[in-house]
Amino acid sequence: MSGGAELGFTEHLFKVLVIGDHKVGKTSFVKRYVKNQFYEELKTTIGVDFSMKVIDWDSHTRVRLQLWDIAGQERLRGLNRVFFKRSSGALVVYDMTNGSTLDGALNWKHELDSQVMLKNGRPIPAVLLANKCDETKVCRRNASLLEKLCQEKGFIGWFQTSAKENINVDEAAKFLVKHILQNNEESVKEEEQNMQINLKQQSKSNSTCC
Amino acid sequence: MGYPPSGVQKSSVISEHCGHSVDSPVKLMVESSSSGGRGAEEGRPPPHIADVIDSKENTVQGMFSHTGTTQGEKGQLHSSQDHEVPESCDKVQHQTSNQPCGAKLPNGHAVKSSHPAGSYLNSEDNCVIANGELLADSRGGALDAVASAPPPQDASEDQTTSSEDPKDARNSVFNNTRSCSEGLSLRTFSSSTFLNTDSAPLSPDDDETFSSSDRPDDPSFTDVSLKPRNTYESSRRQSAPDNIPGVLSVAVADLTLSQRKHGISEIFSRNLFSRKQREAQSAPGWKLFGKVPLRESPPKDSKTIQQEYEAKVSKSGQRKNLEFEPLSTTALILEDRPANLPAKSEEEAQRHRQEYDEMVAEAKKRELKEAQKKKKQMKERFKQEESIVNAMVVWNNEILPNWESMRGTRRVRDLWWQGLPPNVRGKVWSLAIGNEMNITSDLYEIFLSRAKERWKSFRETGSEMESDADSADRESSLDLIKLDISRTFPPLFIFQKGGPYHDLLHSVLGAYTCYRPDVGYVQGMSFIAAVLILNLEEAEAFIAFTNLLNKPCQMAFFRVDHELMLKYFAAFEVFFEENLPRLFNHFKSSNLTPDLYLIDWIFTLYTKSLPLDVACRVWDVFCRDGEEFLFRTGLGILRLYEEVLLQMDFIHIAQFLTRLPEDTPSERLFSCIANTQMISGNRKWTQVFNALLKDKEMEKSSSPTVKNS
């Protein structure tokens, strides 16, 4: 998923899923992140809404994020499963004002892990977003609960966000991208190692062959 | 002043355009006039629609006499008045279209009741009026002409100018109207204007004004209570969004002033500007546009400036050579040098004058060009509207009475392809969709009351506490309906909470989940139901909705029969490759599968991705040709944008196709659809699809483990 290196400049293209129950604010989150806009009423997402965010990560890295904002209705979940493949990371969103959507988010995470994984078999990095935090506050007990959930369910972290008030939107995405980049480097290294092993094996076999 | 001829042209076209549908805006006006109270109390019969139209004619006449057109043209205009009323249905379309995709209402429905959308519309009108009035006043030129034109009420004019008591009742009226112009609803608007007419006789001098202003040579102006509406109407028409605002508002100003009636126009001019009027007669001074000046101080300012200006202008008569002054250049230019700066040298002054003249000439050219362009557009539009009117007559008089025998004929099919006139649209859709399910409006009532019960118990129990999964799902789908309704065509603000069709949409969808619990509510349904509600009465919309969703393609999608959906996608791809091989390969190499955009398109029947008026045209032919047409439309869209899409990568294509440009042109799209042949190697759509279905059966028999997701 990474582009070619040119004069030490790398461009990466990552597919990031935005999943969660309906009406938790996935599309609003994406709109805020990509366009820095907020609308009270957006059209329901049917299927997938696509967005692209280009990040100049540092002086020699550019990241292109393909955001796949997937329709939330339970009924359509089977349909949308096919959209999971080849994704590098996920933002799993729930609505802080609606407790049942947290369970939904955990289901989505479960589904995600069953559908996609990294090359090394580990789950793809996923961040849990407690959205609409402008409407309520997380008390400390909740915070520790979320912390625990993250560890149990294998999220790399959680953020309370508000697309409306633009709270933690960039931060959460940045956090995810950082992990995706790390994974990417690791997998590149692993590949290199594998290549070397292959080469060694090849040279060995070559030598024995003669 | 302006260009009278084009102004004339415009107004006649505007009055023509959208010449169909019945009486909604007028109905609205009549309603509000009777609610306006006093006019009715005084024993006048509530005005009839005909009256209103009549008065409108007069308005236009007034303008005509003022702008100096010939009788012949007047006659033309008259003929156009016959189908003038429904213009407002078009207005709704425009004004609600902050986001044109999905903004056009397919008919004039929305205007019927007083709801946010309606008041939105009306408040805008009010603003326009306010602007028009102000224009009238601040534009010395216009007033000049008005004053020199010989309305018989000059005497009344004098009276009004002399009676300038700030505590006068009219002042309060003025305030009312002002607050109206700041965005209140039509009701407020009309009631305040009524207040105006009725309160006028309270002061003695006004009584005189009244009698003197009742022109004996104008018999249709006897009903005083019509006058405010009259002015309102005229400015309404003038404010149709396609016009050149500058020119037209001048026209409005002229028109309202030349009428010299007791509309709000006069309140404005009498109270606020009458003093200025006289001064303005002698010289065009400042041309101040837009803002409403506050009552006391700003007029004073401009007054002094005017005086200074007058003095200067008499020296250098230069500007008077220009027979025409473009509004844009002269609008806010203080034409003289501020007093605190040293005088220009003769040379400099000469140069500046020259430069100024050049600028003016340039702007004049530009504006003329623009006006011509607009004129041409209006002509086209006019033609289009005319053909809609003609089509409407044919549909109503010939086709609908003989539906069964005519629906299949070549002529009807051709006419159908061209788009159904909005006011037969619903009827034709209903007939074409049919009622295989034998739903009646009684049945609808039953399901609706069941849904209502369920909502009630849902509200009482709170949430999905029930044990069995099925009911939990049902509850959540009730919950989902509520959430989704507000997300259906948000820019229309019709289905949102508090909007006029919010409850309707809720009812239709709720009744459907009771009628088909096996299907329930699936996202996307709200869009379909919404479009039907816009075109049909409640129960009819429900009948059409249930029958539409029962079609095989819709059933496959809304039951989320994934495998069957894949067959549809596969069939689509067959025709995609056949019709647009280059694009097909481009999509293939970008890994862009049709489900990425077809899910959105088919689930919502294009209502989400295409502009609403275009989507309705797609529905027209979808009702005629069935599911095949949905996929043909998809290919038409791809053909329309082929060149653009060929330049795009995966994410941009995906983005583009789920959010099609808001100005997707209906005519070009339909010619692209027409160029799309649904034939692949002698096989038609159904044959290709059935062949794929057979494959499915074979697959099934060979691998029984394939799961239905």
Side-chain angles (χ1 to χ4, degrees):
Chain A
M1 281 252 150
S2 58
E6 212 179 285
L7 294 169
F9 187 83
T10 10
E11 235 183 66
H12 298 282
L13 178 68
F14 298 126
K15 172 175 168 181
V16 170
L17 300 172
V18 185
I19 48 181
D21 281 357
H22 59 85
K23 195 68 184 175
V24 294
K26 297 181 291 296
T27 308
S28 292
F29 183 89
V30 172
K31 275 254 152 53
R32 173 62 83 184
Y33 179 53
V34 175
K35 295 189 173 166
N36 201 15
Q37 287 169 337
F38 181 79
Y39 304 93
E40 284 291 342
E41 301 288 0
L42 285 164
K43 282 187 190 175
T44 311
T45 304
I46 313 286
V48 192
D49 264 350
F50 298 93
S51 303
M52 172 77 115
K53 173 88 174 180
V54 182
I55 312 161
D56 287 318
W57 188 256
D58 53 35
S59 57
H60 51 271
T61 321
R62 175 173 292 163
V63 175
R64 288 176 187 277
L65 285 191
Q66 264 180 18
L67 294 158
W68 289 49
D69 167 15
I70 289 173
Q73 192 186 358
E74 175 76 40
R75 292 283 298 277
L76 302 175
R77 195 171 292 184
L79 189 65
N80 293 330
R81 221 177 272 147
V82 291
F83 300 137
F84 284 15
K85 63 187 176 217
R86 272 182 283 176
S87 44
S88 317
L91 298 163
V92 186
V93 190
Y94 86 94
D95 175 357
M96 285 182 75
T97 62
N98 181 352
S100 69
T101 60
L102 178 58
D103 299 329
L106 300 181
N107 283 337
W108 279 98
K109 171 71 167 113
H110 183 72
E111 184 116 358
L112 178 73
D113 290 342
S114 66
Q115 297 290 320
V116 266
M117 54 183 76
L118 295 174
K119 278 185 191 138
N120 57 20
R122 275 182 294 162
I124 64 164
V127 178
L128 180 64
L129 303 182
N131 198 27
K132 306 192 188 175
C133 75
D134 53 294
E135 289 178 36
T136 71
K137 281 225 166 75
V138 191
C139 59
R140 211 169 285 162
R141 220 181 96 228
N142 266 340
S144 61
L145 181 81
L146 282 173
E147 198 66 49
K148 211 179 117 202
L149 267 179
C150 277
Q151 284 178 356
E152 271 174 24
K153 306 286 175 183
F155 288 100
I156 55 170
W158 68 278
F159 287 83
Q160 43 173 323
T161 58
S162 164
K164 190 175 180 181
E165 304 295 335
N166 198 4
I167 300 167
N168 274 341
V169 173
D170 280 325
E171 288 76 0
K174 210 170 175 180
F175 183 75
L176 179 67
V177 172
K178 200 176 87 188
H179 276 263
I180 294 174
L181 281 170
Q182 273 174 9
N183 282 333
N184 195 54
E185 268 171 38
E186 277 168 26
S187 70
V188 169
K189 266 183 208 157
E190 275 169 30
E191 258 172 50
E192 275 170 5
Q193 277 174 356
N194 288 343
M195 288 256 282
Q196 278 171 352
I197 292 165
N198 283 343
L199 281 175
K200 271 179 199 165
Q201 281 173 342
Q202 266 184 1
S203 59
K204 260 184 203 169
S205 59
N206 278 349
S207 59
T208 49
C209 161
C210 294
Chain B
M1 91 184 44
Y3 349 50
S6 58
V8 166
Q9 183 78 20
K10 238 147 255 148
S11 65
S12 72
V13 173
I14 296 158
S15 55
E16 282 268 1
H17 99 121
C18 193
H20 38 72
S21 116
V22 212
D23 55 351
S24 31
V26 172
K27 211 197 254 168
L28 179 69
M29 289 191 329
V30 173
E31 265 171 38
S32 58
S33 70
S34 49
S35 72
R38 288 215 221 159
E41 278 166 37
E42 282 171 29
R44 284 187 206 100
H48 296 295
I49 292 168
D51 290 341
V52 179
I53 293 173
D54 203 20
S55 74
K56 260 183 277 175
E57 270 176 43
N58 276 296
T59 306
V60 178
Q61 251 176 351
M63 187 176 81
F64 270 85
S65 56
H66 189 63
T67 47
T69 37
T70 61
Q71 281 290 338
E73 277 170 291
K74 233 190 273 182
Q76 247 179 10
L77 194 83
H78 265 279
S79 66
S80 72
Q81 295 292 323
D82 298 340
H83 34 205
E84 196 251 30
V85 175
E87 165 231 333
S88 73
C89 76
D90 214 76
K91 268 182 77 73
V92 177
Q93 290 174 3
H94 280 287
Q95 289 179 343
T96 48
S97 65
N98 294 336
Q99 202 184 321
C101 107
K104 285 205 176 178
L105 284 185
N107 68 4
H109 258 53
V111 205
K112 271 189 190 162
S113 58
S114 65
H115 50 67
S119 55
Y120 174 31
L121 160 97
N122 296 319
S123 66
E124 193 151 304
D125 288 337
N126 296 342
C127 288
V128 172
I129 291 174
N131 272 340
E133 296 317 320
L134 285 163
L135 268 174
D137 199 80
S138 42
R139 239 189 87 96
L143 275 173
D144 210 0
V146 169
S148 60
Q153 310 90 317
D154 261 354
S156 77
E157 172 63 29
D158 278 344
Q159 278 168 357
T160 46
T161 43
S162 61
S163 71
E164 263 200 51
D165 184 1
K167 285 169 220 147
D168 192 311
R170 287 164 305 177
N171 228 334
S172 69
V173 172
F174 166 71
N175 286 337
N176 271 341
T177 22
R178 253 180 64 84
S179 67
C180 269
S181 72
E182 279 155 21
L184 294 179
S185 72
L186 173 67
R187 266 168 211 280
T188 337
F189 168 79
S190 54
S191 62
S192 65
T193 45
F194 271 93
L195 186 65
N196 157 33
T197 33
D198 296 330
S199 65
L202 293 178
S203 66
D205 55 8
D206 266 340
D207 249 331
E208 287 169 56
T209 320
F210 243 113
S211 47
S212 63
S213 73
D214 264 328
R215 274 195 269 176
D217 57 332
D218 191 351
S220 55
F221 263 115
T222 44
D223 187 355
V224 181
S225 74
L226 273 175
K227 284 164 192 167
R229 276 197 309 281
N230 189 5
T231 345
Y232 164 73
E233 252 313 297
S234 60
S235 2
R236 243 169 84 80
R237 194 165 336 115
Q238 300 295 345
S239 67
D242 317 70
N243 306 320
I244 306 170
V247 175
L248 274 172
S249 35
V250 173
V252 174
D254 295 351
L255 152 74
T256 44
L257 282 166
S258 67
Q259 273 174 243
R260 298 278 149 202
K261 294 294 173 187
H262 291 260
I264 35 160
S265 62
E266 235 195 315
I267 304 289
F268 271 100
S269 52
R270 271 191 290 170
N271 276 314
L272 188 60
F273 302 115
S274 47
R275 200 182 333 154
K276 258 179 71 199
Q277 261 177 29
R278 285 171 166 180
E279 283 147 12
Q281 282 170 18
S282 53
W286 272 74
K287 297 179 174 77
L288 185 64
F289 285 84
K291 280 270 152 74
V292 180
L294 287 170
R295 252 179 287 162
E296 273 313 316
S297 47
K300 262 183 194 161
D301 282 351
S302 53
K303 190 175 151 194
T304 44
I305 291 161
Q306 260 175 28
Q307 281 167 348
E308 281 168 22
Y309 176 71
E310 273 169 49
K312 297 271 170 95
V313 132
S314 52
K315 274 187 230 156
S316 62
Q318 281 276 342
R319 301 247 341 272
K320 285 185 178 160
N321 300 342
L322 292 164
E323 52 193 7
F324 160 78
E325 289 169 23
L327 304 173
S328 54
T329 47
T330 51
L332 274 169
I333 295 178
L334 177 57
E335 285 155 14
D336 282 283
R337 213 165 163 79
N340 58 348
L341 293 178
K344 289 180 193 174
S345 72
E346 189 57 35
E347 253 173 60
E348 200 186 1
Q350 180 86 33
R351 204 181 64 231
H352 284 171
R353 269 199 296 274
Q354 205 176 344
E355 280 171 2
Y356 175 79
D357 288 351
E358 279 165 17
M359 271 159 59
V360 168
E362 189 91 339
K364 179 185 171 182
K365 234 198 249 164
R366 214 172 31 235
E367 281 185 18
L368 273 173
K369 221 182 226 169
E370 243 159 62
Q372 274 166 355
K373 209 173 111 195
K374 289 269 173 189
K375 216 165 122 181
K376 212 173 140 194
Q377 279 176 356
M378 286 312 256
K379 240 185 192 160
E380 268 166 33
R381 177 143 206 173
F382 173 76
K383 228 166 120 187
Q384 226 179 346
E385 297 295 341
E386 203 178 53
S387 73
I388 290 179
V389 172
N390 291 339
M392 185 190 68
V393 173
V394 175
W395 278 100
N396 272 330
N397 297 349
E398 297 178 39
I399 303 171
L400 287 177
N402 309 302
W403 175 248
E404 281 310 324
S405 60
M406 282 189 82
R407 64 181 294 181
T409 61
R410 179 82 204 212
R411 178 163 164 257
V412 171
R413 287 176 65 86
D414 285 349
L415 206 56
W416 203 333
W417 175 272
Q418 282 153 24
L420 298 171
N423 67 338
V424 297
R425 180 165 264 154
K427 209 178 282 171
V428 177
W429 285 0
S430 275
L431 286 167
I433 292 169
N435 189 3
E436 270 189 349
M437 322 283 290
N438 284 322
I439 314 279
T440 59
S441 47
D442 292 338
L443 211 56
Y444 168 65
E445 291 302 328
I446 292 169
F447 288 118
L448 179 58
S449 62
R450 211 175 281 177
K452 279 181 176 159
E453 265 167 41
R454 213 178 271 179
W455 286 326
K456 214 175 130 200
S457 68
F458 179 51
R459 241 175 283 137
E460 278 158 10
T461 51
S463 59
E464 299 122 83
M465 296 298 284
E466 273 149 89
S467 49
D468 63 313
D470 189 44
S471 83
D473 190 44
R474 207 173 52 216
E475 297 299 311
S476 83
S477 87
L478 283 177
D479 184 34
L480 193 56
I481 290 173
K482 219 188 289 167
L483 294 174
D484 260 7
I485 285 176
S486 63
R487 301 200 283 176
T488 308
F489 302 124
L492 288 185
F493 210 80
I494 289 178
F495 299 104
Q496 280 58 45
K497 199 153 188 146
Y501 288 171
H502 172 269
D503 294 346
L504 255 176
L505 185 53
H506 204 192
S507 301
V508 169
L509 292 172
Y512 184 77
T513 54
C514 292
Y515 172 66
R516 290 299 294 263
D518 56 322
V519 180
Y521 174 74
V522 182
Q523 290 190 315
M525 283 183 183
S526 64
F527 285 89
I528 296 179
V531 170
L532 289 170
I533 285 170
L534 288 171
N535 285 284
L536 289 161
E537 290 304 317
E538 185 173 354
E540 283 171 2
F542 178 76
I543 295 167
F545 185 69
T546 47
N547 281 287
L548 189 63
L549 293 199
N550 203 46
K551 305 221 175 261
C553 176
Q554 273 56 49
M555 258 303 133
F557 275 73
F558 283 109
R559 293 182 111 152
V560 201
D561 182 343
H562 202 175
E563 239 173 293
L564 202 52
M565 285 165 76
L566 288 174
K567 298 294 167 197
Y568 277 106
F569 299 151
F572 175 79
E573 282 198 296
V574 168
F575 292 94
F576 185 5
E577 189 171 15
E578 185 79 33
N579 276 282
L580 305 160
R582 261 172 81 213
L583 193 63
F584 180 78
N585 287 328
H586 180 60
F587 277 25
K588 267 263 141 80
S589 61
S590 319
N591 263 327
L592 194 111
T593 47
D595 52 344
L596 293 176
Y597 48 94
L598 280 184
I599 286 181
D600 180 285
W601 289 355
I602 306 297
F603 262 111
T604 62
L605 298 176
Y606 295 98
T607 50
K608 187 172 161 255
S609 42
L610 281 178
L612 191 48
D613 58 331
V614 183
C616 281
R617 251 194 95 178
V618 170
W619 278 44
D620 290 346
V621 191
F622 164 57
C623 290
R624 190 191 80 172
D625 292 0
E627 64 185 41
E628 174 185 333
F629 189 74
L630 293 177
F631 297 94
R632 197 173 170 200
T633 301
L635 293 172
I637 293 172
L638 295 176
R639 182 187 293 273
L640 177 63
Y641 292 115
E642 183 175 17
E643 291 309 315
V644 198
L645 292 168
L646 280 169
Q647 310 303 319
M648 291 183 184
D649 62 358
F650 171 87
I651 193 80
H652 289 103
I653 297 173
Q655 229 171 343
F656 185 90
L657 293 179
T658 43
R659 274 170 247 166
L660 292 169
E662 285 159 6
D663 56 356
T664 297
S666 146
E667 283 308 319
R668 278 184 53 216
L669 173 61
F670 269 78
S671 73
C672 285
I673 298 174
N675 285 332
T676 302
Q677 298 309 320
M678 294 304 268
I679 284 183
S680 165
N682 283 335
R683 291 188 306 168
K684 288 181 180 166
W685 167 266
T686 37
Q687 289 166 309
V688 170
F689 183 70
N690 287 334
L692 285 162
L693 280 184
K694 266 180 205 150
D695 291 351
K696 175 186 163 185
E697 276 152 27
M698 274 165 62
E699 266 170 42
K700 252 189 183 166
S701 56
S702 61
S703 63
T705 47
V706 174
K707 241 178 45 185
N708 200 343
S709 48

